[in-house]
Amino acid sequence: MTSVKSVKITEVGPRDGLQNEKALIGTGTKLDFIHKLADAGLKYIEVTSFVHPKAVPQLSDALEVVRGLQPRAGVHYSALVPNLKGLERALESGIREIAVFTAASNSFTQNNINMTIQESFAAFKPVVEKALQEGLWVRGYISTAFYCPFEGKIKHESVLEVCQRLLEMGVHELSIGDTIGQAVPDDVRTTMTALLKALPLEKMAMHFHDTNGLAIENVQASLDLGLSSFDSSAGGLGGCPYAPGASGNLSTDALVHYLHAQGIETGIDASKLADASASILRVLKNTDDLVSDIGNLQYLGTPDCPPIHPSA
Ligand code: HMG
Ligand code: MG
C-alpha cells in the first residue's frame, strides 16, 4: 500500500507521442489536442521539442506550436531542448519551461544526440546555466535508466551519477526513463531504492514506456516507494525514434483510471481526457491509413496551417 494521496502527471503525448508517428500532424491539430488536454485538467504538458528539425521532422513546427498556445491558469507548458541552438529557439518562442535529456548509457546518447554522456554534460551545462539565468524551469531526463537497447541492463550506479550531475547543474526535476519499456517492478524497486538513498524524493519523476504492458505495475512499485510524479501520454502514444523497441508511453487514461480507483487525486477529468485522447487517435488512425496507402510521409496540414518544412 502507498501513502501517496495525490500525483503530479506530466503529459508527454504532444512531444513523446507525436515524435514517433509516421505522419506529420498539422500545427492546428496539435494545438487543439494540447488545449483539450488542458481542458481535461492536465497541468503539466510537454508540447514539443526544439531538436534538429531533420532529426524529428514531426516536431519541426515547435516555434509555431508554442506561439499558438493559449495561456491557462495553472497550466505549465514545456519543451525539450538538446543544446544551445535549441535553447535559442526555445527562448525565441517564449516558452518558460524546458527539459534537457541525456541517458545512463553511452551507446544510447550517441545514437540519440550524437554525444557521449560526458559530452552531453558539457553540452547541457551552458544550456542549463543560461536557462536558469533567464528564469526558466528546467527538467533533466535520464533515458535508459533500467535497460538500454544496445547495452542491456543498466547499473543503478550509472543512473545515480547522471542524476547527481544534473542536480549539481541546478535542474529542478529529474525524470527517470524506462525508454524501451523493459523494466519490471523488481528493477524499479532496486534502482529507485538505491537512488532515493542519495536523491530528493520530491525532485523525482518516473517515465515509463509500456512495451511489455508492465508500466502500471511499475507505477505501483514507484508509489510504494513514495514516488508521486509520473509522465504519461494520452491514448498511450509514443516512443523514441532513436531507441529501437521503444513503444508507446504509459497511457495517461490508464494511469488516471488506476490512480482514481485507489482514491489517489490527479485533478484530471477522465471523461474529458478520453475526448482528448480519442480526438488525436482519430487523426492518427486516418493519417496511418493515408501513409500506408501512399507509402510515404505526408504532411496533413489545414489551409490555415501551412506546411512547415525542416529548415536545415
Ligand atoms: P548534430 O548534427 O550533432 O548537431 O545534432 P551539431 O551541433 O553538429 O550541428 C549541426 C547542424 O545542426 C548545425 O547547422 C546546427 O546549427 C544545427 P549548420 O551550421 O550545419 O547549418 N543544429 C540545430 N538546428 C536546429 N535546432 C537545434 C540544432 N542543433 C544543431 N537544436 C542534435 C545534435 C542533438 C541537435 C541532434 O542529434 C538532435 O536533434 N537529436 C534529436 C534526438 C531526439 O529528439 N530524440 C528523441 C527525444 S529523447 C526521448 O524521446 C527520450 C525521453 O522521452 C525519455 C525516455 O523515454 O527515456 C525524453
Ligand atoms: Mg520517452
Side-chain angles (χ1 to χ4, degrees):
M1 268 307 282
T2 177
S3 57
V4 172
K5 299 274 178 275
S6 73
V7 150
K8 170 182 173 183
I9 296 181
T10 301
E11 167 62 46
V12 296
R15 192 279 304 170
D16 208 349
L18 297 185
Q19 78 180 8
N20 214 35
E21 291 300 328
K22 287 184 287 245
L24 304 191
I25 303 298
T27 309
T29 304
K30 290 177 182 172
L31 287 167
D32 185 49
F33 175 42
I34 293 165
H35 294 138
K36 281 195 167 79
L37 291 165
D39 290 341
L42 282 146
K43 295 277 182 249
Y44 301 88
I45 310 177
E46 197 171 77
V47 293
T48 188
S49 180
F50 290 95
V51 293
H52 198 297
K54 273 190 180 160
V56 185
Q58 294 90 331
L59 305 181
S60 58
D61 59 349
L63 185 71
E64 291 75 8
V65 167
V66 175
R67 288 195 171 153
L69 292 171
Q70 295 166 0
R72 300 279 176 93
V75 176
H76 302 249
Y77 297 119
S78 64
L80 238 57
V81 164
N83 53 15
L84 275 170
K85 173 77 184 169
L87 180 63
E88 211 177 277
R89 293 172 57 214
L91 287 169
E92 190 190 340
S93 76
I95 200 140
R96 301 299 300 156
E97 307 202 2
I98 64 159
V100 295
F101 53 105
T102 183
S105 84
N106 262 318
S107 350
F108 180 75
T109 42
Q110 196 75 64
N111 208 48
N112 194 33
I113 50 176
N114 200 19
M115 303 171 207
T116 62
I117 297 175
Q118 288 307 324
E119 285 165 354
S120 80
F121 289 138
F124 290 142
K125 197 165 182 295
V127 174
V128 176
E129 267 169 22
K130 173 112 172 70
L132 295 177
Q133 271 164 23
E134 297 282 340
L136 302 191
W137 183 89
V138 185
R139 156 183 264 216
Y141 276 105
I142 301 94
S143 288
T144 59
F146 302 97
Y147 291 89
C148 166
F150 314 107
E151 293 179 24
K153 181 112 177 73
I154 298 297
K155 292 194 176 100
H156 61 74
E157 290 85 350
S158 314
V159 188
L160 180 60
E161 191 187 333
V162 178
C163 290
Q164 284 172 325
R165 292 287 292 271
L166 286 166
L167 284 180
E168 278 159 25
M169 283 182 203
V171 306
H172 298 100
E173 184 179 58
L174 296 170
S175 177
I176 308 295
D178 181 21
T179 313
I180 53 169
Q182 294 299 311
V184 300
D186 255 353
D187 295 318
V188 175
R189 276 188 283 276
T190 308
T191 297
M192 295 314 296
T193 301
L195 295 193
L196 290 173
K197 287 188 179 138
L199 302 173
L201 181 72
E202 66 283 3
K203 290 198 176 179
M204 310 300 290
M206 302 303 293
H207 181 105
F208 293 118
H209 285 256
D210 204 18
T211 317
N212 291 311
L214 289 172
I216 277 290
E217 292 193 32
N218 290 334
V219 167
Q220 185 59 54
S222 311
L223 288 168
D224 291 342
L225 295 171
L227 291 152
S228 63
S229 180
F230 298 96
D231 301 352
S232 59
S233 160
L237 309 170
C240 173
Y242 296 92
S247 79
N249 289 83
L250 162 63
S251 142
T252 309
D253 313 66
L255 177 63
V256 166
H257 174 74
Y258 184 75
L259 295 171
H260 287 184
Q262 298 191 58
I264 298 174
E265 281 174 31
T266 65
I268 292 163
D269 178 325
S271 110
K272 288 187 180 169
L273 170 63
D275 287 345
S277 303
S279 75
I280 195 67
L281 291 175
R282 246 188 327 266
V283 173
L284 291 171
K285 161 96 183 56
N286 292 337
T287 61
D288 274 355
D289 292 347
L290 198 60
V291 169
S292 60
D293 282 352
I294 298 169
N296 213 340
L297 195 70
Q298 291 295 305
Y299 179 81
L300 293 148
T302 52
D304 57 333
C305 295
I308 312 294
H309 295 292
S311 57

